Amino acid sequence: MRLQQRFQIAIRSANYSLATERAYWDWVKRFIKFHKMRHPDSLTGENIRDFLTHLVMKKQVAVSTQQQALSALVFLYKQVLGRDNITITDWLNAKRPKKLPVVLSTTEASSVLSCLKGTPLLIAQLMYGAGLRLKEAVRLRVQDVDFGRMEITVRHGKGGKDRMTLLPKVTVESLQQQIEISRQLHCKALDEGVCFVHLPNALARKYPNAAKELAWQYIFSSTQLSKDPRTGNMGRHHINERGIQSAVKNAVRQAGVNKNASCHTFRHSFATHLLESGYDIRTVQELLGHANVNTTMIYTHVLNRGGKAVLSPVDR
């Protein structure tokens, strides 16, 4: 069996996302190419060390990029090739710079939102109003929104974790309209004999009729049918994130906000503005889905106090 086939079987059995599968396989190919097309089974931990050091010295990659490459190669050797005893030592680590997140003021956030409309506006309101990541927003399914309890369930978020967050009141009417659009698209697909939607893990086998139910459809369904890259089935996926990213970038420029703001800036702003309003950091941690409160603590450094709350002598 070819290495790529063995890799696909292993990573899909471990329920990794398609995006992770593609990223990991890309690193495996780059690793093989770096070592002049030698099979990974003939390489050692020293070869992995040399590749990781090359990424820093020659490619000048960020620490997160080097870490992803390492994770991909560890998965390859331990889960695909069965080399549990492989060791990697003394490679050059990329240094993680201490960076504060870009945060919009409430006025800036309102200005950017006012320059958006339609689906990009609704998704931006969910990112800013509920702390969702962009991928979490576009992957919402009909059953994930509870209008009675005003809650959103984020399923299989970063790290494969589920969490609950609030449903902003301002999004209720638009979400209901979006669900109706999704229902109409779903009914049309059923009439045409199309009833496939991607289901996580083994739910497609456990609930063979789930794809026919509205509850499992994406709220932000694409208007076009597409082929699932893993199964080859034709169905309806969620919309592409790139359109939302482009719309937000344009809105930032249009609003005259001179910050390097992106979709993720809304999530940063959500956390910071909650802390400014006096909410407990543990509550914010839970809403964001952070495993460690130290991750949430970074937002305490960007609260709207300026200069660590020190009064400048010139202002006395």
Side-chain angles (χ1 to χ4, degrees):
M1 187 182 297
R2 295 179 59 190
L3 178 64
Q4 185 174 7
Q5 292 176 305
R6 294 167 63 187
F7 177 84
Q8 288 177 342
I9 291 172
I11 202 164
R12 293 177 187 182
S13 298
N15 292 319
Y16 281 71
S17 70
L18 181 60
T20 302
E21 176 184 330
R22 287 172 171 169
Y24 276 21
W25 180 244
D26 184 62
W27 282 117
V28 172
K29 290 191 295 183
R30 291 173 66 175
F31 175 66
I32 293 172
K33 186 177 180 180
F34 175 77
H35 288 294
K36 304 186 185 305
M37 307 308 293
R38 292 170 61 189
H39 194 284
D41 231 351
S42 66
L43 302 174
T44 66
E46 292 183 356
N47 298 113
I48 298 176
R49 177 202 64 194
D50 293 343
F51 177 65
L52 295 174
T53 302
H54 162 77
L55 292 178
V56 176
M57 296 298 294
K58 299 295 184 182
K59 299 298 183 181
Q60 298 180 336
V61 301
V63 61
S64 57
T65 304
Q66 189 193 46
Q67 183 61 50
Q68 186 185 64
L70 173 61
S71 298
L73 296 177
V74 168
F75 181 88
L76 171 69
Y77 276 91
K78 292 192 174 183
Q79 304 301 323
V80 181
L81 301 177
R83 300 265 296 274
D84 290 326
N85 60 342
I86 194 163
T87 56
I88 314 163
T89 58
D90 300 328
W91 75 88
L92 183 62
N93 267 313
K95 293 184 178 180
R96 186 183 295 274
K98 184 179 180 180
K99 292 184 178 179
L100 295 178
V102 177
V103 174
L104 300 173
S105 67
T106 53
T107 301
E108 289 171 334
S110 297
S111 297
V112 175
L113 291 175
S114 68
C115 294
L116 293 167
K117 60 182 179 179
T119 301
L121 171 60
L122 177 54
I123 290 180
Q125 288 173 328
L126 289 171
M127 292 186 292
Y128 179 44
L132 299 186
R133 300 176 176 90
L134 176 57
K135 281 187 179 293
E136 293 171 344
V138 298
R139 289 175 179 173
L140 284 176
R141 300 180 193 252
V142 174
Q143 64 179 343
D144 295 337
V145 179
D146 189 332
F147 292 105
R149 295 178 59 86
M150 295 297 291
E151 289 179 340
I152 294 175
T153 302
V154 178
R155 303 185 192 277
H156 204 71
K158 190 173 182 179
K161 298 175 292 185
D162 293 354
R163 73 176 190 278
M164 303 289 292
T165 187
L166 63 154
L167 171 62
K169 292 180 181 179
V170 70
T171 66
V172 169
E173 184 177 349
S174 297
L175 273 174
Q176 290 172 336
Q177 293 172 355
Q178 188 64 42
I179 290 173
E180 175 58 23
I181 292 173
S182 182
R183 187 192 68 79
Q184 292 174 8
L185 289 171
H186 180 52
C187 289
K188 180 182 177 182
L190 289 177
D191 291 341
E192 296 172 353
V194 177
C195 61
F196 174 80
V197 67
H198 172 73
L199 297 177
N201 304 329
L203 287 177
R205 294 194 298 272
K206 188 175 183 180
Y207 304 115
N209 293 318
K212 297 180 180 179
E213 300 173 6
L214 178 62
W216 285 101
Q217 303 306 306
Y218 291 110
I219 293 178
F220 298 102
S221 295
S222 172
T223 56
Q224 303 294 322
L225 295 176
S226 58
K227 182 181 290 186
D228 183 78
R230 285 183 168 175
T231 65
N233 293 323
M234 288 297 294
R236 197 177 301 282
H237 202 50
H238 58 68
I239 60 174
N240 195 304
E241 300 102 300
R242 292 178 183 175
I244 308 301
Q245 292 169 331
S246 178
V248 169
K249 278 292 186 183
N250 289 334
V252 170
R253 286 193 293 268
Q254 190 177 341
V257 175
N258 297 315
K259 292 180 178 179
N260 186 26
S262 64
C263 288
H264 207 66
T265 304
F266 283 118
R267 177 174 159 89
H268 293 323
S269 303
F270 164 82
T272 305
H273 295 168
L274 284 184
L275 291 172
E276 284 179 342
S277 299
Y279 287 97
D280 179 75
I281 195 167
R282 293 287 183 179
T283 300
V284 178
Q285 175 194 1
E286 187 175 340
L287 293 173
L288 291 173
H290 289 160
N292 193 315
V293 73
N294 289 334
T295 308
T296 318
M297 285 291 291
I298 192 170
Y299 297 111
T300 63
H301 299 294
V302 290
L303 293 177
N304 189 23
R305 295 171 185 165
K308 301 184 181 297
V310 173
L311 179 64
S312 172
V314 77
D315 294 325
R316 293 184 185 275

